[in-house]
Amino acid sequence: MSDQPETSCKTVLAGTIAKGLLAEVKQGLSELNAKPPHLYGILANDDPAAKVYADWTGKTCKENGFEYTLRTVAKDDAEEAIIAANQDDSIDGIIVYYPIFNNRQDQYLQQIVDVRKDVEGLSHQYIFNMYQNIRFLDDKHLQKSILPCTPLAVIKILEYLHIYNTILPYGNRLFGRTICVVNRSEVVGRPLAALLANDGASVFSVDITGIEQFTRGAGIRKRKHEVVEKEGMTLDECVPLCDVVITGVPGHKYKFPSHLLKEGAVCINFSSEKNFGPEVKERASIYVPAIGKVTIVILLRNLLRIVQNNRSQKVPTPALANGEP
Amino acid sequence: MSDQPETSCKTVLAGTIAKGLLAEVKQGLSELNAKPPHLYGILANDDPAAKVYADWTGKTCKENGFEYTLRTVAKDDAEEAIIAANQDDSIDGIIVYYPIFNNRQDQYLQQIVDVRKDVEGLSHQYIFNMYQNIRFLDDKHLQKSILPCTPLAVIKILEYLHIYNTILPYGNRLFGRTICVVNRSEVVGRPLAALLANDGASVFSVDITGIEQFTRGAGIRKRKHEVVEKEGMTLDECVPLCDVVITGVPGHKYKFPSHLLKEGAVCINFSSEKNFGPEVKERASIYVPAIGKVTIVILLRNLLRIVQNNRSQKVPTPALANGEP
């Protein structure tokens, strides 16, 4: 051991984490013992990034034994395309590449997708279950509710990094952890903060309007999280308390103030921009610079779960990896 | 899930943790493929607690395939008894039940025990290695240094509880953890603080004279811990920062101020007295009320390791569970 190693930070790449999850998905797929699940993509915008994501989805599907069809339509035909896909029995899951209208009409479209084909977990029923900490769709606990892909990808990364403590009971495995989420969008940041707090963490949710704390209260006695506004609290006060910092700020100008990090903090960035500068490694114990490769596997995992859920409505069979989100 | 469960704290008993460690020891014993290792106890005081511990050692040895002999001598014959045991080839390990003189003469006796038979890890060579973060006795890293039983028992408990993060490299697995040790005796508290800091933790070592911080410095870049006196720091400031609190205060009057604990802290008591009141469960995520059953298994583990080390001086073979303390 040299006296002054360069840094003690371990960088963990999403590809490494994705491998194990993909193996689980392939195992589940082989146990399904049926024709390959069919994912149907609807692309109704001109955003080149959406096209890249659509092509990447298709590639990952085909490489791993899933069927994938991409349909490109005009904005105003998206609604009819979704309705047609809902009614097509050859289609198991639907993914719509947003934004389309980039306003509330997109939320309207999200509710058009049949809940039994909603691999993105954007249906109101799934979102409601997520915030309310309701983990199953049925009383017998055979069908797990579907969680949105990016927040679930972050959770799977935290499990891989042993931030979830499996010594604690399922549902409480983040008890004792303090986590900061920089982003409070309805798509990722707020659901993620809620999921982490529902699992027992004390979460500081940060955006430009201020800081909110999500917890299950003293001794995590509440059955779901509650939110408290931390009027006047700044990053300077909140970050040094945090074991884990998760960032998702769009725009290349933003850099997280890494000098505030607690020694040995775990840092995860889900933005497509590098929210952490290289100096993050001076203080962090673990750094995950991007999560995209995990997110795409979660999409396949959700598709598999949906196929399993729809089957178990007919013949009851245990859900994939029962007892895990 | 009820709306207000009684408490979210998980109590983990030493017996549960000891089982897994004992299975490892028995596995190692069977691979040894030799006559049972022989532990030799020397009792030279009238303390009934020492007699109880000696009898308990004997019982545990015999139940698990080790040979045990207890010799009772007068105080002034202890030195000769140790020398005789050093020279007796039928004896593999020696345990002396302290205190005998209850002064510096006891430290003198500790250095009389042959280092190759010192199952308690009290020889100067072992103690030096421990503080200096030197983990092997030989250049080829075949022979692990011997660690004192009670501090090593606490470490094995922290491993069981997943406080050591196996995602991080061996030697750095407590990076990011803040730990408070209430007791700075030369026998347990100070070695324990040093071991935890050598493994990457930030440790607050507390006794009646004040608080010291043991760390490997910024970014845990130093190869062994350093100690900083925290002049004027109080438990009120230090405890709320700690993920783990470990107590070992003798005397039934002492109670740790559990109201200072961080929500979800992990609490471990190695005192024979209950240093935590029942209210610890209001705030802790995990509570280990006593550790004795783990300590006794560690004694057998050290005996096994010593036999392995002595063998590998003749024929090189890998040490037990190489890469672990």
Side-chain angles (χ1 to χ4, degrees), chain A residues 251-271:
Chain A
H252 64 278
K253 280 184 191 157
Y254 178 81
K255 288 292 172 203
F256 184 84
S258 294
H259 67 279
L260 296 177
L261 287 169
K262 187 170 95 163
E263 278 278 340
V266 171
C267 296
I268 300 170
N269 171 50
F270 67 81
S271 170

Side-chain angles (χ1 to χ4, degrees), chain A residues 3-6 8 10 160-162 165-168 175-177 218-221 223 263-264 282 284-286, chain B residues 3 5-6 8 10 160-162 165-168 175-177 218-221 223 263-264 282 284-286:
Chain A
D3 216 63
Q4 293 275 334
E6 208 176 319
S8 300
K10 177 167 178 169
Y160 178 90
L161 299 177
H162 299 192
N165 189 344
T166 53
I167 286 289
L168 295 173
F175 189 24
R177 296 296 198 171
I220 58 166
R221 282 198 177 72
R223 59 156 292 284
E263 278 278 340
E282 299 296 312
S285 59
I286 300 175
Chain B
D3 217 65
E6 209 175 319
S8 299
K10 176 167 177 168
Y160 178 91
L161 299 177
H162 299 192
N165 189 343
T166 53
I167 286 289
L168 295 173
F175 189 24
R177 296 297 198 169
I220 58 167
R221 281 197 178 73
R223 59 156 291 284
E263 279 278 339
E282 299 296 312
S285 59
I286 300 175

Side-chain angles (χ1 to χ4, degrees), chain A residues 211 233-241 257 259-260:
Chain A
I211 298 179
M233 192 186 216
T234 63
L235 279 184
D236 298 47
E237 295 161 70
C238 135
V239 175
L241 304 173
H259 67 279
L260 296 177

Side-chain angles (χ1 to χ4, degrees), chain B residues 160-187:
Chain B
Y160 178 91
L161 299 177
H162 299 192
I163 305 305
Y164 276 75
N165 189 343
T166 53
I167 286 289
L168 295 173
Y170 172 67
N172 288 351
R173 288 178 175 164
L174 292 179
F175 189 24
R177 296 297 198 169
T178 306
I179 303 179
C180 179
V181 180
V182 187
N183 169 311
R184 197 162 58 238
S185 69
E186 281 302 302
V187 185

Side-chain angles (χ1 to χ4, degrees), chain A residues 122 127 130-131 148-154 181-196 205 246-248 270-271 291 295:
Chain A
L122 300 174
I127 300 284
M130 180 189 66
Y131 282 113
C149 296
T150 304
L152 182 53
V154 173
V181 180
V182 188
N183 169 310
R184 197 162 58 237
S185 70
E186 282 302 302
V187 184
V188 186
R190 193 167 81 93
L192 178 58
L195 283 165
L196 298 174
S205 168
I246 302 164
T247 58
F270 67 81
S271 170
I291 74 159
T295 308

Side-chain angles (χ1 to χ4, degrees), chain B residues 41-73:
Chain B
I42 295 174
L43 183 65
N45 71 29
D46 301 328
D47 183 353
K51 182 71 171 68
V52 168
Y53 183 45
D55 290 343
W56 195 28
T57 323
K59 186 169 173 288
T60 310
C61 278
K62 281 165 188 170
E63 281 173 3
N64 294 290
F66 291 82
E67 197 185 332
Y68 181 77
T69 308
L70 181 64
R71 183 166 169 208
T72 306
V73 296

Side-chain angles (χ1 to χ4, degrees), chain B:
Chain B
M1 227 183 295
S2 85
D3 217 65
Q4 294 274 334
E6 209 175 319
T7 158
S8 299
C9 179
K10 176 167 177 168
T11 300
V12 179
L13 299 178
T16 310
I17 304 170
K19 264 183 210 161
L21 292 167
L22 194 57
E24 281 179 37
V25 169
K26 287 176 120 168
Q27 177 66 23
L29 194 60
S30 73
E31 287 166 9
L32 203 60
N33 203 15
K35 71 171 181 57
H38 181 195
L39 181 63
Y40 191 80
I42 295 174
L43 183 65
N45 71 29
D46 301 328
D47 183 353
K51 182 71 171 68
V52 168
Y53 183 45
D55 290 343
W56 195 28
T57 323
K59 186 169 173 288
T60 310
C61 278
K62 281 165 188 170
E63 281 173 3
N64 294 290
F66 291 82
E67 197 185 332
Y68 181 77
T69 308
L70 181 64
R71 183 166 169 208
T72 306
V73 296
K75 283 184 187 190
D76 290 320
D77 295 333
E79 186 168 348
E80 288 308 317
I82 295 170
I83 292 169
N86 283 344
Q87 291 165 346
D88 184 342
D89 285 345
S90 79
I91 293 169
D92 295 296
I94 300 170
I95 176 169
V96 181
Y97 296 96
Y98 297 102
I100 295 177
F101 296 98
N102 211 6
N103 60 27
R104 283 187 58 186
Q105 197 170 342
D106 284 358
Q107 276 78 66
Y108 167 77
L109 288 177
Q110 283 166 5
Q111 302 314 315
I112 303 264
V113 174
D114 187 332
V115 66
R116 289 163 305 176
K117 298 190 177 185
D118 177 16
V119 292
E120 296 184 276
L122 299 175
S123 299
H124 180 73
Q125 187 191 349
Y126 294 143
I127 300 284
F128 175 82
N129 286 351
M130 180 189 67
Y131 282 114
Q132 289 290 324
N133 203 12
I134 296 167
R135 300 185 182 217
F136 292 90
L137 297 173
D138 60 328
D139 292 340
K140 287 183 180 165
H141 288 194
L142 296 173
Q143 298 177 46
K144 299 282 309 250
S145 195
I146 301 297
L147 293 172
C149 296
T150 304
L152 182 52
V154 173
I155 283 174
K156 287 291 162 188
I157 289 167
L158 291 173
E159 286 183 352
Y160 178 91
L161 299 177
H162 299 192
I163 305 305
Y164 276 75
N165 189 343
T166 53
I167 286 289
L168 295 173
Y170 172 67
N172 288 351
R173 288 178 175 164
L174 292 179
F175 189 24
R177 296 297 198 169
T178 306
I179 303 179
C180 179
V181 180
V182 187
N183 169 311
R184 197 162 58 238
S185 69
E186 281 302 302
V187 185
V188 186
R190 194 167 80 93
L192 178 58
L195 283 165
L196 298 174
N198 282 345
D199 278 337
S202 167
V203 182
F204 292 108
S205 168
V206 179
D207 78 357
I208 46 167
T209 69
I211 299 180
E212 296 178 353
Q213 189 174 21
F214 290 50
T215 72
R216 273 174 41 211
I220 58 167
R221 281 197 178 73
K222 302 228 161 74
R223 59 156 291 284
K224 72 169 198 72
H225 72 283
E226 59 187 11
V227 180
V228 177
E229 274 199 49
K230 306 299 282 185
E231 191 87 49
M233 192 186 215
T234 63
L235 279 184
D236 298 48
E237 295 160 69
C238 135
V239 175
L241 304 173
C242 292
D243 305 303
V244 180
V245 174
I246 302 165
T247 58
V249 181
H252 64 278
K253 280 185 190 155
Y254 178 81
K255 288 293 171 202
F256 184 84
S258 294
H259 68 279
L260 295 177
L261 288 169
K262 187 170 95 162
E263 279 278 339
V266 171
C267 297
I268 299 170
N269 172 50
F270 68 80
S271 170
S272 55
E273 304 289 342
K274 284 189 174 149
N275 285 175
F276 292 101
E279 74 287 357
V280 66
K281 296 185 187 177
E282 299 296 312
R283 299 184 75 82
S285 59
I286 300 175
Y287 171 47
V288 181
I291 74 159
K293 287 185 181 171
V294 174
T295 308
I296 199 119
V297 176
I298 293 298
L299 184 73
L300 299 185
R301 194 175 184 274
N302 275 356
L303 175 58
L304 179 63
R305 175 151 284 160
I306 271 184
V307 172
Q308 290 169 327
N309 281 352
N310 291 338
R311 278 192 167 202
S312 76
Q313 285 185 309
K314 297 157 203 162
V315 189
T317 53
L320 167 74
N322 212 346
E324 287 176 26

